[in-house]
Amino acid sequence: MNTTEAPPLTRKDFQSDQEVRWCPGCGDYAILSAVQQVFPELGIPREKFVIVSGIGCSSRFPYYMNTYGFHSIHGRAPAVATGIKMTRPDLDVWVVTGDGDALSIGGNHLIHTLRRNVNLKILLFNNRVYGLTKGQYSPTSELGKRTKSTPHGSVDFPFNPLNIAIGAGATFVARSVDIFMPHLKAVLKRAAAHKGSAFVEVMQNCNIYNDKAFAALTDKTGRQQNGLYLEHGKPLVFGDNKDKGLRFTGTDFEVIELGNGKSEDDCLVWDEEHANPSLAFQMASISTGDGLGDFPVPLGVLRAVDAPTYDAGVIDQIDELTTTRPQTLDQLIHGTDTWTVDAGGNVHRGAN
Amino acid sequence: MTLPIAGQTDAGKAAEATVSDVVIRFAGDSGDGMQLTGTQFTNTSALIGNDLSTLPDFPAEIRAPAGTLAGVSGFQVRIADHDIHTPGDAPDVLIAMNPAALKANMRDLKDNGVIIVNTDEFTPRNLKRAGYEANPLEDDSLNAFRLYQVALTTMTRRALEESELDVRSKDRCKNFLALGMVYWLFSRPLESTIDWLRVKFKRRPEIAEANVKVMKAGWNFCDITDAFQVRYDVEPAKLEPGTYRSIHGNSALAIGLVAASRRSGLPLFLGAYPITPASDVLHELATYKHFGVTTYQAEDEIAAVCAAIGASFGGNLGVSCSSGPGIALKAEGINLAVMVELPLVICDIQRGGPSTGLPTKTEQADLLQVMFGRNNESPVPVIAASSPANCFDTALEAVRMATAYMTPVILLSDGYIANGAEPWRIPQVEELPDLRVNFHQNAEGFMPYMRDEQTLARPWAIPGTPGLEHRIGGLEKEDVTGNVNYEPENHDHMVRLRAEKVARIVNDIPELEVEGPQSGKLLVLGWGSTLGAITGAVNQARADGLTVSRAHLWHINPFPRNLGDVLERFERVLVPEMNLGQLALLLRARYLKDIETYSKVEGKPFTRDEILHRIERMTGESNQR
């Protein structure tokens, strides 16, 4: 190193000059703050970050980050981001999306991006409602939910975003909560370090249209009682005093009370690297995420496996063929079969 | 002209006749290899130096039920010793591999034309499938033609008696027997097709050799029997000196995009979703990775265009290619590119519609879609290719406009020129336009929506450039800063600014050239793939003593600066279009000039004679006034 080190980046370096216009009390503020705290710690120059979003409250995110940013169209952020990453592998590309943007209008792009394992980080802010269009139910809204578009209660079955991601073959799947700052930052760092599509669901409170949707998980008692903090290689224990655990019966998860002859040894040891995604799928399925069911809400990394990325595969082919099959533009234009007409009007096969 | 029946005769040999122009149509089941056979005949003729033009015509079904009219696939090629503009109105020669191919095509054939049929296929079952009540080979229904009955399948099997191929594989060679016969009939050498077969089937030499053997058998059959009384030759065309190749429109488009990438220094990114008749552009560009080309077969049309926009944001040459139904899906993405002012080229290879319509047939009815088929005020430059080879230049010009003005550009082609071929005089690379672009580098005073005074283009500042971090998006932008802005005056200003930017392209595009008298009674004005038929018709009309002028639009948005003047100089303006008058609508609205539309929406191009007759009628009417 012979150049003078640039001063380390700080949170402030990632704050844009634009006034943040989310509703006061919106969970998005906390997520923005977490991202602005994590980015300077990643060791990546600011100009190498690109944040791509679709449409919705969450998708205003790029305007508030002093990086390159692209506020695209509804549901299409993964497609725009794929085009960026395929052609600019040097960039660190993040997608910010919401439950309507990613799972409804943009469902197709999300699953195919995850299937391809494009090296993108995808943050899905799940508030289980359409906020920007002022309060309709979303594809993650619970059955029976009364909204402007479902005045008699929703009869529309919701998605579990984690299961969509795992089912689509995502190589990194995690979940955190807007206001669980240390946990959220840790999950974001894990996502940033993953090579391939990293899918992070962030439970996010919409205090205007769906307030307290995750209160059973996020209130003071809920955090410990209803949060299951997954850690690779650690047994699945939870509860106020780590007094509960999850056992795997072979077909299902089961909550056990620890003590009385049952210990951590009876709990499943979490393996986020398990090759078969079905265990992660089953883990994601134990809770709808609101903390109201019989099971705790899994948080942290559900799945993290190594796999080749699509963008690298594409670039490798181009690099290899550029080396092994050099051809000039002139050769390309000529093709294989040419004929030449000379000044006298005579025709012969081939070029001059 | 029809083929002469008599010619110079040597004792014991077929008579020989030189003709200046011939139209041949190969027709068979969609599995009979007619496209391939026709392409080989075309390439061989190209290498001889004929001018040529082709018209493939195939069904949308990959394999419609064998022997049915729905499954007939045709390939028409016209070769000439002079400059031609169309694949010919009516064939002189029809090769019909089965009864359905005969039935579907004989009504197009010239009187006294040559028909070569494969008699092996004229079984009661196949006749019934084709809807024949009686065998046309046995009644007098073909009396107006010169009918040659050949047992192609039997002869093919016989020629391959010693081959170890199974019968099915042997039978698949029968198109090469027909090709060998047609090569003999038109005095073509076999070498280039033999070369091609040996390269194509490098890994299966037994297939290559079987086809070579069968093709030679077809040739020899004609040479040693007196099957044909006359043998023809078409001499080389007096083309401008230079090196030529035969080229399809989609191929010229793909190569043109690579050339534009090289000349601009921008890596090419194609986002596409398979759709007829545009898929060949994706296929071909996928083989040009060694030119740094990235091809992306996206999950849908929307992702294809959005990924191309992402690639452009990152500093690539973003391109998306589709046909009408796909362009409809891309509309929102194109509008995003309008708003964020990034270069992007959208190729629309038009086909028959609406909806799924006629996937394999041609039409020019997407013009108003690409002009106006997006929400709100969405100005996009539009340029239309007029011939297969012209797709190359059009690709370069589309890229020039897109990068110079930081705008999406729509390039129109259609199924006719996409799949049609013609000789192309290969340009010198150094003569191609210089399309170099400069990414913005200077952070001092940078604003994402500051503009070039002349072009109104905003700077192209790509991610990774220190100090130029900025945000773009679909929300309305404040002029200069690019910040989100909802102020009424700003919006009004920006709407007008975006329109003005596209309008200013008029300053560096060529004026419309009128061919023929510069003013007068009748101008035939065309755009896109009608060029050949219009040129042929106007030339013929003049040869017949009529006074008529011709002009052809390349740039459609903006129109060339002098278009209004040109229209004013003529009493009547005829616009032949493969739609119900879309260009005419634009011209009337813009210039308040009455335009006479000649519409044809049959899924096939105008013939020269159709336009000629219209010209004759109009000039006749003028003379009576």
Side-chain angles (χ1 to χ4, degrees), chain A residues 18 47 62 66-69 71 76 79 83-84 87-88 108-109 116 310 317-318 321 325 327 333 338-341, chain B residues 46 241-245 289-291 294 296 299-300 302 307 310 314 462-465 468 470-474 483:
Chain A
Q18 296 298 294
E47 67 271 15
N66 191 14
T67 62
Y68 284 93
H71 178 214
R76 319 302 172 203
I84 297 173
T87 52
R88 291 292 307 276
N108 200 29
H109 309 305
R116 292 186 182 105
Y310 175 71
Q317 271 190 352
I318 292 172
L321 289 162
R325 287 194 202 162
Q327 199 185 16
I333 294 176
T338 56
W339 70 97
T340 299
V341 180
Chain B
T243 299
Y244 288 79
R245 66 178 287 188
K289 293 194 174 72
H290 56 294
F291 282 94
T294 307
Y296 176 54
E299 58 271 20
D300 58 29
I302 298 169
I462 65 170
T465 318
L468 301 188
H470 67 281
R471 276 66 56 192
I472 57 172
N483 290 330

Side-chain angles (χ1 to χ4, degrees), chain B residues 548-593:
Chain B
V548 55
S549 301
R550 179 182 76 71
H552 211 78
L553 287 166
W554 194 29
H555 293 86
I556 297 183
N557 192 33
F559 283 131
R561 174 194 298 282
N562 65 333
L563 177 57
D565 295 341
V566 169
L567 295 177
E568 277 311 303
R569 298 204 299 262
F570 289 88
E571 275 177 32
R572 298 175 79 178
V573 178
L574 172 69
V575 176
E577 293 184 83
M578 292 189 284
N579 58 48
L580 295 184
Q582 299 196 0
L583 178 68
L585 185 77
L586 296 177
L587 294 173
R588 285 195 201 103
R590 172 78 185 271
Y591 301 106
L592 298 177
K593 166 92 180 179

